Amino acid sequence: MDTPYYFYDLGLLRRTLEAVRSEADAFNFRVHYALKANSNPKLLSIIRAYNLGADCVSGNEIARALEVGFAPPDIVFAGVGKTDAEIAYGLNHDIFCFNCESLQELEVIDAIAASLGKCANVALRINPNIDAETHHHITTGLNDNKFGIGIGDLGEACDLARRLTHIKMNAIHLHVGSQITNFSVFFDLCVCVNELQRFFEQQNIVLEHINLGGGLGVDYLEPDTHAIADFRGYFSLFDKALERRKNQQVHFELGRSIVAQCGSLMSRVLYVKKTQATEFVVIDAGMTELLRPALYQAVHLIENISRVGEANERKYNIVGPICESSDCFGKDVSLPKTERGDLIAIRSTGAYGETMASEYNLRSKAKAFYSPEP
Ligand SMILES: *Cc1c(COP(=O)(O)O)cnc(C)c1O
């Protein structure tokens, strides 16, 4: 097989989906899969078969979700910069809900809905000013992040929603960040939502839906020990800490925790290069196939598949071929003595790997391969 390529373990994907479903179903929680984590159609059709909804952040993601069979009432549309064309597209397909990120967006959705003779379901995306304690590039719920409507502007948002006749604001949405491993962040989120519920009750706005976003982290260092995220701990925390109202549907938007561990980026060693300072392993995958390390210093487990079990370990800097110094997958990575032609696996790349690929340096798009299915 030509390297680099994305390898997907569909059995692990299915086991993960079974776990998500059973743990979420126990509390009657609704899970939408965040397409931006991985929108590979083969993976999507499996995810769809487990009856998850879809969380989309662009018109093209809505189109992809529809193509693979997600039903419009199962599709939510988030994003801080929805274009008029994307809003119209969502309205024309009668998607379930727009997660609305500003007062101006409420007015724009209302106007477009009016022109199409529609009424849009809207969830107000609220910025709760909670620190997700994750990398600052994937923190979204602090006051200086671009996402959502600040708590101070909620009164105005409610007044506006009451005036506008082509939106129905019956939900709130919060997503505070990604790769969250400290569960106290989710607890703080619940405390905030409990307060928000009282605020909206005072405003006489009935919240039929609460959408708590995604963000559940995965174990990038020990993907085999923790192949499936702690969905039970995650959902049961929300069940305990959230003051749910009668007939209220609670939604989540999980991306990473569903697909990260089922993917590996497979690559060959092109060169082993010793310098005064260090020893480099130059592989044929780069930041064009996996941007996370360059973009937010993400760490992935790296394995030499050609030398499993060999003991003579050394420390290498694992780098790609792209003309950028940030094109580095790991420093001081312990691998058995590595040689040109060895097959290298970069683990846990199922989320934000293939979807963030680029053609920088005029690279060809890496293909995907899948484990055989029964
Ligand atoms: C990215 C994103 C998600 C998914 O986040 P994960 O960390 O992959 O679970 C959910 N909701 C919104 C609004 C997002 O932007």
Side-chain angles (χ1 to χ4, degrees):
M1 261 181 277
D2 278 352
T3 49
Y5 62 91
Y6 301 100
F7 173 79
Y8 294 112
D9 178 346
L10 301 182
L12 177 56
L13 176 61
R14 288 180 185 283
R15 292 195 296 283
T16 306
L17 288 162
E18 274 156 27
V20 175
R21 273 306 305 276
S22 67
E23 302 301 342
D25 286 358
F27 305 111
N28 191 23
F29 289 152
R30 181 86 183 116
V31 178
H32 302 263
Y33 169 66
L35 265 77
K36 76 176 194 284
N38 193 320
S39 47
N40 174 310
K42 180 138 186 157
L43 270 58
L44 283 183
S45 52
I46 293 174
I47 292 166
R48 170 67 207 122
Y50 284 80
N51 199 24
L52 270 60
D55 167 42
C56 300
V57 290
S58 72
N60 286 349
E61 281 194 358
I62 297 174
R64 176 68 60 85
L66 292 168
E67 265 162 41
V68 301
F70 286 92
D74 292 329
I75 296 176
V76 298
F77 184 16
V80 73
K82 303 176 192 75
T83 66
D84 293 16
E86 289 175 316
I87 291 167
Y89 184 79
L91 285 167
N92 281 325
H93 285 87
D94 297 313
I95 62 166
F96 172 61
C97 186
F98 291 78
N99 294 341
C100 183
E101 305 235 4
S102 68
L103 300 184
Q104 191 171 34
E105 189 190 330
L106 281 176
E107 294 181 299
V108 170
I109 293 176
D110 179 75
I112 297 173
S115 73
L116 296 171
K118 303 260 183 190
C119 183
N121 281 333
V122 166
L124 210 54
R125 176 163 182 182
I126 297 168
N127 183 332
N129 196 28
I130 289 175
D131 187 351
E133 295 176 30
T134 182
H135 190 272
H136 60 281
H137 285 178
I138 49 175
T139 294
T140 56
L142 284 174
N143 278 343
D144 59 356
N145 295 130
K146 67 180 174 179
F147 299 99
I149 295 170
I151 306 257
D153 294 326
L154 290 184
E156 203 182 329
C158 292
D159 291 343
L160 185 59
R162 270 189 284 266
R163 275 206 314 279
L164 300 174
T165 49
H166 290 81
I167 62 168
K168 183 180 174 202
M169 196 177 87
N170 60 356
I172 56 172
H173 171 239
L174 303 94
H175 171 76
V176 294
S178 199
Q179 185 52 21
I180 296 168
T181 50
N182 181 352
F183 274 26
S184 72
V185 171
F186 296 124
F187 182 80
D188 294 347
L189 177 61
C190 292
V191 170
C192 177
V193 170
N194 293 341
E195 274 174 44
L196 287 169
Q197 298 238 56
R198 288 188 276 278
F199 170 83
F200 280 92
E201 274 156 5
Q202 282 159 13
Q203 294 277 333
N204 288 317
I205 291 181
V206 178
L207 298 178
E208 294 167 34
H209 304 275
I210 306 275
N211 184 333
L212 298 156
L216 175 59
V218 302
D219 191 339
Y220 281 100
L221 301 178
E222 296 188 39
D224 294 318
T225 319
H226 301 117
I228 297 180
D230 182 11
F231 295 114
R232 175 166 298 178
Y234 176 74
F235 289 123
S236 58
L237 182 154
F238 284 99
D239 178 62
K240 281 196 198 78
L242 192 69
E243 292 165 13
R244 224 168 150 176
R245 301 297 189 264
K246 230 176 145 209
N247 298 327
Q248 193 170 55
Q249 178 71 62
V250 178
H251 303 254
F252 294 86
E253 302 168 331
L254 295 174
R256 185 190 311 273
S257 52
I258 292 176
V259 289
Q261 301 294 27
C262 76
S264 293
L265 175 59
M266 307 301 296
S267 169
R268 293 231 176 248
V269 176
L270 293 172
Y271 303 100
V272 180
K273 168 170 150 173
K274 214 172 171 141
T275 67
Q276 292 274 307
T278 182
E279 199 164 7
F280 290 101
V281 168
V282 184
I283 60 176
D284 62 5
M287 62 195 284
T288 41
E289 287 72 46
L290 180 66
L291 186 59
R292 300 188 65 255
L295 189 62
Y296 18 72
Q297 291 108 43
V299 175
H300 288 256
L301 182 66
I302 302 174
E303 294 173 332
N304 186 332
I305 300 297
S306 304
R307 302 189 186 274
V308 174
E310 291 185 20
N312 46 344
E313 300 229 324
R314 302 185 180 210
K315 300 250 189 210
Y316 294 105
N317 281 1
I318 316 289
V319 300
I322 307 302
C323 302
E324 296 287 343
S325 292
S326 61
D327 186 31
C328 173
F329 291 118
K331 293 205 160 110
D332 294 324
V333 176
S334 289
L335 291 180
K337 188 170 182 309
T338 293
E339 289 180 24
R340 174 173 163 84
D342 285 358
L343 189 63
I344 301 292
I346 305 180
R347 302 287 308 277
S348 317
T349 57
Y352 307 106
E354 196 177 351
T355 42
M356 284 191 175
S358 80
E359 294 179 0
Y360 185 40
N361 288 200
L362 217 52
R363 303 258 297 172
S364 307
K365 190 179 184 303
K367 291 200 176 69
F369 292 90
Y370 309 90
S371 59
E373 283 233 83

